[in-house]
Amino acid sequence: MTDTFDQLFGPLTEGRSPAEAADALRKAAGERILVLDGAMGTEIQLLGLGEDDFRGHRFGSCECHLQGNNDLLNLSQPKAIEEIHYSYAIAGADILETNTFSSTSIAQADYQMEAEVYELNRDGARLARRAAIRAEQADGKRRFVAGALGPTNRTASMSPDVNNPGYRAVSFDDLRIAYGEQLRGLIDGGADLILIETIFDTLNAKAAVFACEEIFAEKGVRLPLMISGTITDLSGRTLSGQTPTAFWHSLRHAKPFTIGLNCALGAAAMRDHLAEISGVADTFVCAYPNAGLPNEFGEYDQSPEAMAKEVAVFAEEGLVNVVGGCCGSTPDHIKALAEAVAGYQPRQVPKTKPLMRLSGLEPFTLTPEIPFVNVGERTNVTGSAKFRKLITAGDYAAALDVARDQVANGAQIIDVNMDEGLIDSKQAMIEFLNLVAA
């Protein structure tokens, strides 16, 4: 297959190693508040591209509808995507996200483009890298490329069928494999770090983290991770139900370069949730809100100046190490943000005590003030004859009542055991835990 990227732009000859880039990134984040770029979709919409533009020459004969598959533009309109990256870099962005939010086989199945996943990610990283090099040549300022992993259009911990709460449209392994395919392309294309973003389901994010560990080992490299969740409304929870602190407890094992929030809310509405995560996370914190809330037409009206003023509050209060823009933001917004936070010191990373920190929908921390932890032992086929009979009979509704009673009677943790020769233990565990999560 012809490698059109080198034909269009020439080879990439920057020559910096992943380890050197990671060190430089961490050093920069310790010295000042870094700036992430803004919305790719907003800028693509302004181009007014039609179906033929999305197809380009390469996909002209494809029978499927391709308009709206923004990631495909990495292959069909690479110059346009590279210019968007460049405009954000020149506006003041230190970190450029690749145009790969939907570049998994799961998301690309909607467009019958699963076979192009590797190239979408490889060239997506190359385009951002090329823009970073050009911008550095123009003004001497180094930029970093973040390989973007979106949440996909499926959820691993919730059922899409209201009549079957134990059903899942995608499994952890499905996600792990899909993210692995994506990561190979991003790393080969030259990404400096990986951004797992817009997380509405923490289990999806955990699959992405697992895939990162697998592919890092396979490639013999280790890139910094940025992890960013989405608080879907004023309830202060992700779509899968976690509070910001519980979200952090679920993912702190990944030792990310940053943890934070993006999308769904404007900066003003995000502030309290960001303050919560900033208060517990012993790593850098990143926030990139939308440009306000959408109007009745789904468009974002917040001006660059208004958004920058709200984001500057994050910096003034010492909540952030990295800021940027999500939906509705433009290079003008990023320029205003960069200028607004330039005079502030980055958030100081707190030192936390080594305590046991767990999470369900709510966080749980075992502190010295708690004399002991109550573990519910009745959801155990070898420890409870009643529970064993219910599981063996397939009566999961009644088995859930056993779990519910344990929690109601004070259990902070329940012990689930399905080790029984008369049942399919693996399937029983999957089905019961899916129902518990629901």
Side-chain angles (χ1 to χ4, degrees):
M1 185 177 293
T2 302
D3 189 345
T4 57
F5 186 93
D6 285 351
Q7 291 177 352
L8 286 168
F9 300 108
L12 300 178
T13 57
E14 188 181 34
R16 291 164 171 163
S17 72
E20 185 278 333
D23 289 343
L25 180 65
R26 290 189 176 91
K27 183 176 185 294
E31 296 172 345
R32 58 189 174 85
I33 296 175
L34 300 182
V35 178
L36 187 68
D37 62 8
M40 176 61 70
T42 302
E43 294 302 288
I44 288 174
Q45 288 178 4
L46 294 175
L47 298 177
L49 303 178
E51 179 70 21
D52 290 342
D53 300 303
F54 276 84
R55 290 175 176 272
H57 176 72
R58 176 171 173 178
F59 303 105
S61 61
C62 180
E63 295 181 358
C64 52
H65 179 74
L66 296 179
Q67 186 172 354
N69 187 2
N70 287 349
D71 295 17
L72 190 63
L73 298 174
N74 292 342
L75 305 180
S76 60
Q77 301 292 334
K79 288 185 177 180
I81 298 302
E82 194 265 346
E83 285 303 317
I84 292 172
H85 287 310
Y86 182 73
S87 67
Y88 277 121
I90 291 299
D94 298 288
I95 303 172
L96 304 178
E97 296 180 60
T98 58
N99 180 39
T100 56
F101 184 85
S102 298
S103 293
T104 58
S105 56
I106 293 171
Q108 286 299 313
D110 290 347
Y111 299 97
Q112 300 175 34
M113 286 289 144
E114 300 98 313
E116 314 305 329
V117 162
Y118 175 80
E119 281 191 79
L120 288 174
N121 288 282
R122 183 198 62 185
D123 285 12
R126 285 175 161 186
L127 290 166
R129 168 66 61 214
R130 183 67 182 181
I133 293 171
R134 283 180 55 202
E136 184 174 357
Q137 290 171 344
D139 61 17
K141 178 183 174 183
R142 183 171 184 176
R143 276 82 173 182
F144 302 90
V145 174
L149 274 63
T152 82
N153 50 7
R154 297 184 186 177
T155 169
S157 66
M158 294 176 285
S159 173
D161 183 354
V162 294
N163 298 312
N164 186 1
Y167 171 72
R168 298 292 184 269
V170 69
S171 71
F172 183 94
D173 281 341
D174 293 335
L175 289 163
R176 173 184 65 82
I177 292 168
Y179 281 128
E181 294 170 347
Q182 185 174 24
L183 286 159
R184 289 185 184 95
L186 290 171
I187 293 172
D188 288 352
D192 295 311
L193 62 152
I194 300 298
L195 171 58
I196 304 169
E197 65 172 335
T198 320
I199 300 163
F200 58 83
D201 184 343
T202 307
L203 190 55
N204 286 39
K206 289 169 83 73
V209 168
F210 194 94
C212 286
E213 292 298 327
E214 286 189 310
I215 304 305
F216 291 165
E218 176 188 305
K219 294 283 189 182
V221 300
R222 175 164 294 275
L223 306 185
L225 297 181
M226 296 179 71
I227 299 178
S228 185
T230 292
I231 301 300
T232 52
D233 55 37
L234 295 181
S235 69
R237 295 178 182 268
T238 63
L239 188 62
S240 56
Q242 286 194 308
T243 65
T245 301
F247 174 71
W248 165 241
H249 284 189
S250 293
L251 289 163
R252 67 189 300 271
H253 68 281
K255 299 180 180 178
F257 165 65
T258 69
I259 189 78
L261 301 173
N262 76 289
C263 204
L265 303 174
M270 181 184 284
R271 187 262 166 210
D272 289 347
H273 313 311
L274 182 66
E276 178 180 337
I277 208 167
S278 179
V280 297
D282 55 354
T283 191
F284 294 130
V285 167
C286 174
Y288 51 115
N290 292 343
L293 295 175
N295 60 27
E296 61 271 24
F297 302 107
E299 298 173 346
Y300 294 84
D301 299 324
Q302 190 173 45
S303 69
E305 295 74 22
M307 184 181 182
K309 183 177 180 180
E310 291 183 355
V311 172
V313 172
F314 299 167
E316 182 180 357
E317 295 181 354
L319 302 179
V320 290
N321 303 93
V322 183
V323 296
C326 202
C327 300
S329 60
T330 67
D332 287 341
H333 288 82
I334 297 308
K335 184 176 186 295
L337 288 182
E339 293 171 352
V341 302
Y344 294 100
Q345 292 296 308
R347 164 184 169 272
Q348 295 298 304
V349 178
K351 293 183 178 180
T352 58
K353 295 180 179 180
L355 299 171
M356 183 174 75
R357 294 177 170 86
L358 307 177
S359 62
L361 301 184
E362 307 285 341
F364 174 70
T365 301
L366 181 59
T367 65
E369 290 72 34
I370 300 174
F372 57 87
V373 177
N374 299 316
V375 180
E377 294 279 359
R378 310 313 296 170
T379 49
N380 184 329
V381 293
T382 60
S384 169
K386 176 183 178 181
F387 188 73
R388 182 177 67 252
K389 291 175 181 178
L390 293 172
I391 293 298
T392 303
D395 190 353
Y396 284 91
L400 280 173
D401 288 336
V402 175
R404 200 174 285 116
D405 288 344
Q406 295 283 281
V407 175
N409 289 324
Q412 290 105 336
I413 301 169
I414 59 171
D415 169 28
V416 182
N417 175 26
M418 295 293 181
D419 187 12
E420 165 59 54
L422 298 178
I423 63 174
D424 181 345
S425 296
K426 178 180 177 181
Q427 186 56 41
M429 181 68 83
I430 291 171
E431 188 164 354
F432 186 72
L433 292 182
N434 283 351
L435 290 169
V436 167

